Amino acid sequence: MKNVLFIASEAVPFIKTGGLADVVGSLPKYFNKDEFDVRVMIPKYTCIPWEYRKDMVYKTHFYIDLAWRSQYVGVFELQYNGITFYFIDNEFYFSGPKPYSWIHEDIEKFAFFSKAALSAIPVLGFKPDIIHCHDWQTGLIPVYLKERFSQGEFYQGIKSIITIHNLKFQGIWDIKKVKDITGLPDSYFTPDKLEAYNDANYLKGGIVYADRVTTVSATYAEEIKTPFYGEHLDGLMNARANCLSGIVNGIDYDVYNPETDKSLAANYNQVTFRKEKWKNKVALQKELGLTEDKGKFMIGIVSRLTDQKGFDLVAYVMDQICAEDVQLVVLGTGDEKYENMFRHYEWKYNDRVSANIYYSEDMSHKVYAACDAFLMPSLFEPCGLSQLMSLRYGTVPIVRETGGLKDTVEPYNEYESTGTGFSFANYNAHEMLGIINYAKSVYYNHKREWNKIVDRGMKADFSWDNSARKYEELYREL
Ligand code: ADP
Ligand code: GLC
């Protein structure tokens, strides 16, 4: 049996701000249980809903040093859907309404978490062969593991992997401050280690010190070796190219299943979608106060409203997108400029635009099911899960050909009758508008073709099964 410990800053169903939580919370279920025991460790945030916190079982507590600070570490455990989750408790760091706050606070919070997580392992009764870290919040773990822990007998031989879910976020702060927080010696803050452009960089530390580096799609693994996508670390990504691979994300097919989903007005599957799916559209039109019309082309967006997701393109041609024969349903939160942009268009085109500026799992499922098309014109996209959810719900994705979007959405080819969605290459608003209008014309004028696109999309397999096998291979290699 091989033991693997995922360490991350979020995991469903406990705490989620984006796709990272979906991956960390669902992937462990899909490993071959005869060969791999995969467990998960996250912070015990006080904003985790009480329904989960009340069942967490206290295991032990101790104190660690964080440079000159001495800090309490509580360790809790909870079994959920057959997976063991561990929670690191410290209310000084993990209270507040959200898991993340200002970067200078997060820098200390996740230095604490990284050291506390490593220190807690010997008391778990579970010795990992591999520690699998995710994103900058856990970037210090491979560093600490090599720098101090591996001298202890218990930690010898433990390998580490870091998965980059988004290279944009690196955990960057002033070297002096980071030295003071982490207690790492001067020799660690050089350009071949944690230093980058005169600052300390947690993710860089993780990438330099981990035994293997992965990211969440094959295309993104290539893109981040170039200056455009490399977020100033493309040199490092090239230097680590031998240890870098891309494994595409899946989604939890038990949670995202139109046949059993309790959020939907009408359940359906690949066979019944022609007769049933539209009922979800009409139910949503009713709920959101849009014109009730089962034949209207409805485009959905469920997203963080940030520049990454391509909303400057959408803003540029919003009037043209919101033509009379289209309805647009948006669910998202993020940058105020985009929140207000969508609110404005809801006011302007009240019968056909609905701006839902909040976060709701339940509403997201309704949107995935109700819409005909799903718009995701990202500037960059390490993988993207929303387009996979759309495919699963028979909602045709319209995407830009970047990162995981390129790897998971096959563009429609009208001559060969192939493809699962629509895509465009250049980051250009009119190119996007052209492809939206093309999709719309297929929907209105070639309905049988449209339904075949839906059919192929629903048939495509983006469950975790394939990708979990690839992670298993990587673990075996290590
Ligand atoms: P990212 O992690 O970059 O935000 P992904 O596509 O990988 O993008 O994952 C986004 C996840 O967050 C999906 O599960 C999506 O449904 C969910 N999501 C985003 N915004 C909202 C929202 N406002 N309400 C509910 N779910 C949301
Ligand atoms: C990040 C990326 C997204 C990816 C998710 C899970 O948030 O932005 O593309 O799907 O992580 O890996």
Side-chain angles (χ1 to χ4, degrees), residues 10 12 16-23 165-166 169 216 249 251 256 301-306 308-309 330-333 356-365 368 374 376 380-389 405:
E10 44 182 283
V12 289
K16 167 170 165 179
T17 71
L20 169 66
D22 289 302
V23 173
H165 294 263
N166 196 335
F169 305 109
V216 286
N249 286 331
I251 54 171
Y256 294 94
I301 290 174
V302 177
S303 184
R304 291 185 291 120
L305 303 178
T306 66
Q308 173 189 341
K309 303 293 178 178
V330 180
L331 173 64
T333 58
N356 303 278
I357 309 303
Y358 55 82
Y359 189 95
S360 159
E361 287 293 328
D362 183 60
M363 181 52 89
S364 73
H365 287 234
Y368 289 125
F374 188 86
M376 204 166 167
F380 67 93
E381 197 61 75
C383 179
L385 300 175
S386 296
Q387 83 280 14
L388 304 182
M389 293 159 186
L405 297 175

Side-chain angles (χ1 to χ4, degrees), residues 268 273 277 297-300 367-376 386-399 409-412 419-423 435 439-440 442-443 449-458:
Y268 56 95
F273 77 87
K277 184 171 155 63
F297 185 57
M298 186 189 268
I299 302 176
V367 176
Y368 289 125
C371 294
D372 298 296
F374 188 86
L375 182 61
M376 204 166 167
S386 296
Q387 83 280 14
L388 304 182
M389 293 159 186
S390 309
L391 286 167
R392 174 85 164 141
Y393 282 75
T395 298
V396 176
I398 302 175
V399 303
V409 177
E410 188 197 338
Y412 172 56
T420 56
F422 293 83
S423 65
I435 208 76
K440 188 165 73 179
V442 176
Y443 175 84
E449 274 296 293
W450 182 270
N451 281 336
K452 284 191 211 159
I453 301 173
V454 173
D455 191 52
R456 288 191 291 270
M458 290 186 82

Side-chain angles (χ1 to χ4, degrees), residues 280-350:
N280 293 296
K281 188 197 284 187
V282 174
L284 191 65
Q285 288 168 331
K286 195 174 204 155
E287 181 173 348
L288 301 180
L290 298 169
T291 307
E292 287 173 44
D293 178 351
K294 70 174 186 171
K296 239 324 161 30
F297 185 57
M298 186 189 268
I299 302 176
I301 290 174
V302 177
S303 184
R304 291 185 291 120
L305 303 178
T306 66
D307 291 333
Q308 173 189 341
K309 303 293 178 178
F311 288 114
D312 48 349
L313 299 189
V314 177
Y316 200 69
V317 289
M318 249 319 252
D319 280 299
Q320 289 97 312
I321 294 174
C322 303
E324 271 181 36
D325 53 359
V326 168
Q327 287 184 343
L328 181 69
V329 176
V330 180
L331 173 64
T333 58
D335 295 354
E336 225 168 283
K337 62 178 173 184
Y338 296 128
E339 294 187 344
N340 290 336
M341 186 268 287
F342 285 120
R343 286 190 184 111
H344 169 77
Y345 280 95
E346 175 181 88
W347 166 81
K348 188 168 178 185
Y349 301 120
N350 199 254

Side-chain angles (χ1 to χ4, degrees), residues 196-269:
Y197 306 95
N198 300 321
D199 278 320
N201 184 315
Y202 282 21
L203 183 65
K204 182 174 180 188
I207 295 168
V208 169
Y209 281 91
D211 295 293
R212 295 297 290 265
V213 181
T214 75
T215 185
V216 286
S217 70
T219 293
Y220 193 61
E222 288 307 314
E223 287 174 341
I224 56 180
K225 293 182 206 155
T226 67
F228 185 81
Y229 293 100
E231 304 289 348
H232 306 294
L233 293 185
D234 41 299
L236 176 65
M237 300 323 303
N238 279 295
R240 293 289 276 150
N242 281 342
C243 296
L244 170 68
S245 56
I247 300 178
V248 74
N249 286 331
I251 54 171
D252 193 330
Y253 267 31
D254 300 332
V255 176
Y256 294 94
N257 182 353
E259 209 167 1
T260 55
D261 194 328
K262 293 208 169 53
S263 301
L264 307 195
N267 290 110
Y268 56 95
N269 59 28

